[in-house]
Amino acid sequence: MERFAIRPEICFGPGALGALARLAGKRVLLVTDGFLASSGLAAKATEHLTGPVEVFDQVEPDPSLRLVAQGVAALENFGPDVVVAFGGGSPMDCAKAMCYFSKGRPPLWCIPTTAGTGSEVTSFAVLTDTEKGVKYPLVEEELLPETAILDPSLLEGVPPKVTADTGMDVLTHAAEAYVAKGCSPFSDALAEKAFALAYARLPAAFAGDLGAKGDMLLASCLSGMAFNAAGLGACHAMAHALGGRFHLPHGRLNAILLPAVVLHNARDRRPAVRYGALAKACGLSGTPRALSAALVRLRASLGIPDRLPVPPEELRAAMEDLTAAALADGCMAANPLPLSAEEVRDLLSGAGGLGGRT
């Protein structure tokens, strides 16, 4: 027997922020970052709230364990009825951990302002141990939000570089979920739709088209539901290791790694057939090589480099730690075939321009 469940409730489309009216009179803790709080964008959410509102705006990229502890203290001091996460993956992951580690575990609503992580519909939260330079994916069903609000108007001011990085994260989520060990007919449907939609609409979103940005928001949510059910894989495991060490944008790391990971996994017949199906869904020749080449072309068109922006000597010095962290990462277990330490080093070396797979 297999199992598939759909949570949370999703409110989407123009005017979706109006769903916040259901929180009328409730004590709300809004978790966001300093930029969104000071830019006025967060006010688009708070204007719908009529009860006491407190804002925790200390979130930084790659939320740390120390930050989560500060957030838990703020949460327990205010005593909210509901926590609302407003922002990209970092505010949502931080808010998930704050709720999870607090005494009362208040319900969580998520409002993404970027189209990439899909965190608004997943039981994942990625936290960083800054002292060790390691990212830890926390996976617990209790992390699932109660409600997700997808309002495309919130993406209007997202700059092209962020759209590119987060958009490639969407494609990576969908591609890895489609071949992951835990995939099912349900996650397949979500992953295939998400991949084809993101592949078709990311260039226009990058150019600033708001309708395309809205489609990317939907693709991000669909891919989040897919990988939450199926798992991810080697690309995310290595991206977590690299991000924890060098603090580079997660989506950009995935964009650099994914084409080579596709070719590596395609040595096995099952993922090779599935990658071919994704390629066909995008109007490409139905082969893993065609898919990998298309990802390389898309990456270049978005201005994303094809190599890690890390000095070669630093990458070499970190290689053993990076390899160990990637192999220990929870996402690696869902990869369609096991990777040896040598194979991980080979892929990381290729991504860094040190030789190996490209």
Side-chain angles (χ1 to χ4, degrees):
M1 184 185 77
E2 296 182 77
R3 177 176 175 269
F4 181 80
I6 298 178
R7 283 178 55 199
E9 175 189 12
I10 302 168
C11 305
F12 65 97
L17 281 174
L20 289 170
R22 287 157 42 191
L23 302 181
K26 294 185 180 293
R27 294 174 66 83
V28 176
L29 177 66
L30 186 80
V31 179
T32 188
D33 60 42
F35 172 76
L36 292 174
S38 62
S39 68
L41 195 61
K44 290 189 174 184
T46 57
E47 68 185 15
H48 292 276
L49 303 171
T50 59
V53 176
E54 183 161 309
V55 178
F56 180 79
D57 62 0
Q58 306 303 307
V59 179
E60 297 175 347
D62 302 324
S64 66
L65 302 177
R66 185 185 302 274
L67 174 68
V68 170
Q70 294 172 354
V72 170
L75 187 158
E76 293 183 345
N77 183 60
F78 179 61
D81 299 309
V82 179
V83 173
V84 174
F86 186 88
S90 293
M92 288 190 283
D93 284 3
C94 185
K96 285 180 176 181
M98 286 166 56
C99 292
Y100 181 77
F101 290 113
S102 67
K103 294 176 183 176
R105 289 195 179 180
L108 174 65
W109 289 36
C110 284
I111 308 174
T113 60
T114 61
T117 68
S119 187
E120 70 275 7
V121 290
T122 75
S123 55
F124 285 66
V126 180
L127 306 177
T128 301
D129 185 331
T130 52
E131 294 183 2
K132 295 181 179 179
V134 176
K135 284 190 175 185
Y136 295 108
L138 180 64
V139 188
E140 294 287 346
E141 191 164 343
E142 290 89 345
L143 293 173
L144 274 170
E146 179 179 280
T147 301
I149 295 177
L150 311 180
D151 194 318
S153 69
L154 298 174
L155 276 65
E156 188 169 6
V158 176
K161 184 174 288 189
V162 175
T163 298
D165 290 342
T166 56
M168 290 302 296
D169 199 18
V170 173
L171 286 165
T172 307
H173 287 155
E176 292 212 288
Y178 198 64
V179 301
K181 288 181 179 177
C183 68
S184 71
F186 296 98
S187 64
D188 285 351
L190 293 164
E192 184 175 320
K193 175 64 176 179
F195 192 93
L197 181 60
Y199 181 81
R201 298 296 276 160
L202 181 52
F206 179 70
D209 183 276
L210 185 57
K213 287 184 176 183
D215 285 342
M216 289 302 301
L217 190 59
L218 292 177
S220 176
C221 185
L222 291 167
S223 67
M225 289 189 286
F227 83 73
N228 193 58
L232 288 164
C235 189
H236 266 79
M238 290 187 290
H240 287 153
L242 288 163
R245 183 64 175 255
F246 298 113
H247 308 291
L248 296 166
H250 175 68
R252 196 173 308 168
L253 292 171
N254 279 325
I256 293 169
L257 293 163
L258 183 59
V261 171
V262 167
L263 294 179
H264 182 87
N265 284 340
R267 297 179 307 164
D268 185 83
R269 185 177 182 279
R270 176 186 167 277
V273 169
R274 287 182 157 262
Y275 286 135
L278 279 186
K280 282 186 177 180
C282 296
L284 304 166
S285 172
T287 66
R289 189 162 295 279
L291 182 66
S292 178
L295 289 168
V296 170
R297 292 193 300 270
L298 178 59
R299 182 178 68 192
S301 73
L302 301 174
I304 297 175
D306 59 0
R307 293 288 183 272
L308 297 172
V310 177
E313 61 275 10
E314 291 188 25
L315 185 60
R316 287 193 186 95
M319 187 61 71
E320 293 309 310
D321 288 343
L322 291 171
T323 300
L327 289 170
D329 190 276
C331 294
M332 186 64 83
N335 201 63
L337 66 161
L339 269 68
S340 66
E342 181 180 0
E343 288 169 325
V344 171
R345 283 193 294 268
D346 193 31
L347 287 163
L348 289 170
S349 295
L354 305 181
R357 298 178 189 276
T358 59

